[in-house]
């Protein structure tokens, strides 16, 4: 099985920490390696099998001091700073029906 590292945009550093879920299509089984800012965008780097079926994954960016929606369903990936603000990136866990 062939794996590669791909980059995916999950938001803009200017978008703010509204906590609104962000849907990103990734190959099934993708492993998140890093989340960083690049050129005013928030990017995710993941190890993927490019031939795998695409699945929806959900991310949330929340600013320091903002409400955290459904904290039990969020996995913290990273914290980053942009100018004088600090943002926290989470992935929503898969919930059983």
């Amino acid at each position: 099985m062939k794996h590669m590292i791909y980059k995916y945009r999950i938001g803009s550093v200017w978008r703010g920490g509204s906590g609104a879920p962000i849907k990103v299509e990734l190959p099934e089984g993708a492993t998140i390696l890093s989340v960083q800012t690049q050129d005013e965008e928030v990017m995710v780097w993941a190890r993927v099998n490019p031939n795998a079926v695409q699945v929806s994954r959900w991310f949330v960016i929340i600013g320091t001091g903002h409400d955290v929606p459904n904290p039990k369903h969020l996995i913290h990936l990273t914290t980053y700073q942009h100018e004088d603000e600090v943002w926290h990136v989470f992935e929503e866990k898969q919930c059983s029906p």
Side-chain angles (χ1 to χ4, degrees), residues 1-93:
M1 174 176 4
K2 174 180 164 180
H3 281 89
M4 302 180 79
I5 297 173
Y6 284 0
K7 174 176 70 173
Y8 300 87
R9 179 187 180 276
I10 62 168
S12 166
V13 295
W14 298 106
R15 183 174 176 275
S18 68
I22 303 161
K23 180 172 119 174
V24 178
E25 297 294 321
L26 294 162
E28 188 172 35
T31 301
I32 303 297
L33 301 174
S34 182
V35 182
Q36 298 181 36
T37 59
Q38 182 182 51
D39 299 325
E40 304 295 320
E41 303 290 341
V42 181
M43 309 299 284
V44 169
W45 282 264
R47 185 180 67 225
V48 303
N49 172 354
N51 299 317
V53 64
Q54 297 287 305
V55 296
S56 297
R57 292 188 49 183
W58 295 87
F59 299 88
V60 178
I61 301 172
I62 302 170
T64 296
H66 294 251
D67 289 335
V68 178
N70 300 316
K72 292 192 291 187
H73 299 289
L74 299 176
I75 300 167
H76 182 259
L77 298 176
T78 195
T79 296
Y80 70 89
Q81 295 182 44
H82 183 258
E83 295 184 353
D84 62 345
E85 298 179 337
V86 179
W87 305 97
H88 311 277
V89 181
F90 298 85
E91 182 173 7
E92 288 190 358
K93 289 190 269 187

